Each structure stands twice: as C-alpha cells, then as structure tokens.
Amino acid sequence: MKNKTSFIPQEGEARPSRCPDNSAFKQQKLPAWKPQLTITTVLSSFFLTGAFCLSAGVCLILSANSVREIQIDYSDKCSDCSKLRENSSNWNKECHCSVNFTLKEDIVGDVFMYYGLQNFYQNHRRYVLSRSDAQLLGRNVNIQKSYCAPFTTYRNGTPMAPCGAIANSMFNDTIDLFYNLNSFAIRVPLLKTGNSWWTDKNVKFRNPKSYNLSSAFAGTAKPPYWKKPVYLLDEEDERNNGYVNDDFIIWMRVSAFATFRNLYRRVSRVRQFVNGLPAGNYTFHISYNFPVTKFKGRKHVILSTVVWSGGSNPFLGIAYVVSGTAVTLMGFVITAIHLKLRKKKTYFQK
C-alpha cells in the first residue's frame, strides 16, 4: 500500500501541472493567415482556374496536332515471315520483308523512329517483377534468389544474362529505312545511341567490370529467345554494348498499357536529310524476328516529329479542357445559386 500511495501528493502540496508551456508555439498564438471566403473570391478562383485550364488545354491540343507522324502496320505485309515465326523450330532462320510508302510532304525537323506493339501486356505483375536489378548493375549475384524464374538458369546450371521474362522477350526486329530517289535506294542514316535516359545509362544499368566485355560475361548464357549473347548487342560501339545497350534499356522500361511504342532510332540530319525527311518514296527493310500472332498482336513502325509538349498524344490537352470546362460550369452554377438566394433574402426583408 505504501508504494501505491507514495505518489499521491499530500495535503498542501502542489500537484504537477500537465498544461503546456505558456509559449506562442505551444499555446497556438503564432501569427497565421486565414482566408475570408466571400462570394467574390470564390467565383474569381473558379473562373480564373477554368480560364487557365481551358487556355492550357487548347495550346496543348494545337501543339499535339502540329506533330507530323506516319504509322505503318507491317504485321500483314510481312505475313510470310509471320507464318515462319509461328514455328519455334525456325528461330535460327532469317526472314526479310519490305514495306513501301510515300511521303507527300516534307517532314521538317528532328524525326524519330518508333516501333509499336499492340495487344502485348507488359503490365502483368509477374512479368513486371521478372528481372534482377542487381544483375543489371553489373553485380555478381545469385539470380536464383531473384524474381527471374523460370528464366534464371539452364538445366546444366549456367545462369542467364540477363535473366527474367522482360529481357527474354526483348523486341529484336531490325528496321532500316531507304529513300528511293531516281531508281537509287539511299540508306537513311539512323542514330542508335543517345535514345535512352541519362539516369538509365549511367545509374540503373552497368556492365560487369573486366578487361573486355566477353570475359565479363564468361560463365553465362544468353536468354532462350535471343539469337546472340548480351555482349554482342552492338559490336561496333563498346559504349552501347552489354547491359548499357540503348535498345535493351528502352525495352526494360515496361509499359503500363497493352498498346505502346518505344523509341528505336533517330534520323541523322546529314546530306539529303539535313532538314529532315524530304517528300518522296521510301522503303522499310525489315528483318522479321519478333512473333506476334500467338497473342494476336500487331506491329507498327512510326516516323514522327516532336514539339515542346511532346508527341502527338492529345490526352493531356483534352484533360485540361475537360477540367477547365467543369470548373467554369461550376462557377456559373454557384453564381446562379447565389443570385437566387440573394433574391429570396431581399424578398423576405421586404
């Protein structure tokens, strides 16, 4: 009992205070700004916000519509190659096809070449996780403890480099563009480097350290669906080989939608193409390797320019216009309600 009553203050003793200190901070007496919402400030905010969104939306839509773009679907035009690729036993057989098209007007400025896939679901949870970021950083890791399964090792224990379903399904069609001028086919110079983000090239992807790239990947094997190992992705440029290959890096950035496009090449502005692509007849020469018939997919090649707001997607502009319209309409509704209530108040005062 003594222990229980020893903390009870005796008669005449001061009880310890539980009140916070008498400071401006603890007593919540700091200076503050509290907006006084009046009908004028509320309506002004609604109409100004609506005007801003509508103006920004119109500018974005006009900017997106100014993009020059041509899209070629070569799924059916390369039907013979598509049928060949349906049989997995033909994986080592080459198949080429050509697609002709005409540019009626010049495409002026920087021209970007994309490949597009339709009905290819990269957003599946297991597919998105099927990679080893530690391996892609060039570290010596045990990939069997990663999410790469079943694309981790072969039956003899040889690890795959790179591992995972994303890397294994990498887009591997080869696309060349030719300009047909006076019965001569002129190869359009295309840039295959400088297409990935700086953070990807220098932070997220690195090759293992060794005196050469082939020895760095010694003891590993290519993924099952690849034709050549990762250290031969670009034999002409050591800085674009292995895990830091631009095509590989761009493919590893998975899409949230089933229909998407990835940057493939940029037109080098030299010789006849210093101002872009002149009007005339062109041909795509395609080495067909990526099968799409099993998942009912389609393949496209897109030539496009870009503007300050990006590509030809008008979604952001439409979103701004819809938001601005909704805010402006809400402002008119509030105005009508205010006038109606003020009229009632004036009537009752009389």
Side-chain angles (χ1 to χ4, degrees):
M1 294 295 293
K2 282 186 177 181
N3 291 337
K4 292 183 179 180
T5 58
S6 59
F7 295 100
I8 301 176
Q10 302 297 322
E11 190 175 344
E13 292 182 6
R15 290 177 177 270
S17 175
R18 298 174 62 87
C19 297
D21 296 338
N22 189 22
S23 62
F25 177 75
K26 292 188 175 181
Q27 294 296 334
Q28 299 183 12
K29 295 180 180 179
L30 291 174
W33 176 74
K34 184 179 180 181
Q36 299 296 325
L37 296 178
T38 63
I39 189 64
T40 304
T41 56
V42 170
L43 290 178
S44 299
S45 300
F46 270 85
F47 287 123
L48 287 175
T49 303
F52 170 77
C53 290
L54 287 172
S55 302
V58 170
C59 291
L60 288 170
I61 290 174
L62 292 176
S63 176
N65 290 338
S66 67
V67 173
R68 293 291 312 282
E69 181 175 298
I70 180 170
Q71 181 169 309
I72 308 294
D73 185 334
Y74 65 94
S75 305
D76 296 330
K77 297 179 180 179
C78 297
S79 57
D80 293 337
C81 291
S82 179
K83 292 177 182 178
L84 181 71
R85 290 288 174 254
E86 288 181 10
N87 189 348
S88 58
S89 62
N90 297 325
W91 66 270
N92 59 343
K93 295 181 180 179
E94 293 287 339
C95 190
H96 302 272
C97 60
S98 299
V99 179
N100 299 316
F101 67 98
T102 302
L103 285 182
K104 296 181 180 179
E105 298 179 357
D106 296 348
I107 300 182
V108 181
D110 294 326
V111 182
F112 299 82
M113 180 190 292
Y114 302 84
Y115 63 84
L117 289 177
Q118 185 176 338
N119 206 37
F120 189 91
Y121 289 85
Q122 283 191 314
N123 57 359
H124 192 282
R125 185 180 66 87
R126 290 192 63 187
Y127 183 88
V128 171
L129 295 175
S130 187
R131 59 187 290 165
S132 173
D133 291 322
Q135 184 194 47
L136 297 177
L137 283 170
R139 298 173 185 170
N140 186 14
V141 294
N142 184 4
I143 59 174
Q144 290 184 332
K145 295 181 179 180
S146 66
Y147 292 101
C148 287
F151 302 102
T152 52
T153 60
Y154 287 94
R155 292 182 180 179
N156 60 2
T158 305
M160 299 180 191
C163 70
I166 306 176
N168 185 57
S169 61
M170 178 180 168
F171 183 85
N172 56 351
D173 282 3
T174 302
I175 307 171
D176 294 312
L177 180 61
F178 289 85
Y179 176 44
N180 302 318
L181 181 64
N182 299 328
S183 70
F184 289 100
I186 303 173
R187 181 189 290 269
V188 178
L190 301 174
L191 300 174
K192 58 184 177 181
T193 58
N195 300 325
S196 60
W197 297 347
W198 184 91
T199 51
D200 287 340
K201 194 86 170 179
N202 297 275
V203 179
K204 295 182 179 180
F205 294 83
R206 293 175 185 171
N207 285 321
K209 293 182 179 179
S210 184
Y211 62 92
N212 63 37
L213 209 54
S214 60
S215 63
F217 288 98
T220 65
K222 63 180 180 63
Y225 290 171
W226 284 30
K227 288 190 172 184
K228 53 187 176 182
V230 66
Y231 55 86
L232 295 179
L233 288 179
D234 189 352
E235 300 178 67
E236 299 175 358
D237 188 353
E238 188 74 16
R239 295 170 299 178
N240 190 45
N241 207 355
Y243 291 152
V244 295
N245 177 263
D246 274 25
D247 293 336
F248 174 69
I249 290 174
I250 291 171
W251 177 258
M252 294 298 291
R253 192 187 310 130
V254 296
S255 171
F257 303 100
T259 299
F260 62 92
R261 64 175 64 177
N262 283 335
L263 181 60
Y264 182 67
R265 296 289 184 265
R266 292 175 294 126
V267 174
S268 179
R269 299 176 65 175
V270 295
R271 302 192 300 274
Q272 299 99 324
F273 313 101
V274 65
N275 295 319
L277 291 179
N281 298 319
Y282 290 83
T283 302
F284 282 123
H285 287 185
I286 301 168
S287 177
Y288 198 106
N289 299 306
F290 193 85
V292 294
T293 52
K294 288 187 178 181
F295 57 88
K296 299 179 181 179
R298 311 287 297 180
K299 293 194 290 187
H300 310 269
V301 184
I302 303 104
L303 295 173
S304 176
T305 59
V306 295
V307 290
W308 61 271
S309 60
S312 62
N313 191 349
F315 173 78
L316 187 61
I318 294 173
Y320 266 101
V321 169
V322 171
S323 301
T325 303
V327 171
T328 304
L329 289 176
M330 185 62 66
F332 282 115
V333 170
I334 294 174
T335 302
I337 293 173
H338 170 68
L339 293 175
K340 186 176 180 180
L341 293 177
R342 190 173 66 173
K343 189 180 293 185
K344 279 188 176 181
K345 186 177 181 181
T346 304
Y347 173 78
F348 285 118
Q349 284 178 350
K350 290 181 178 180

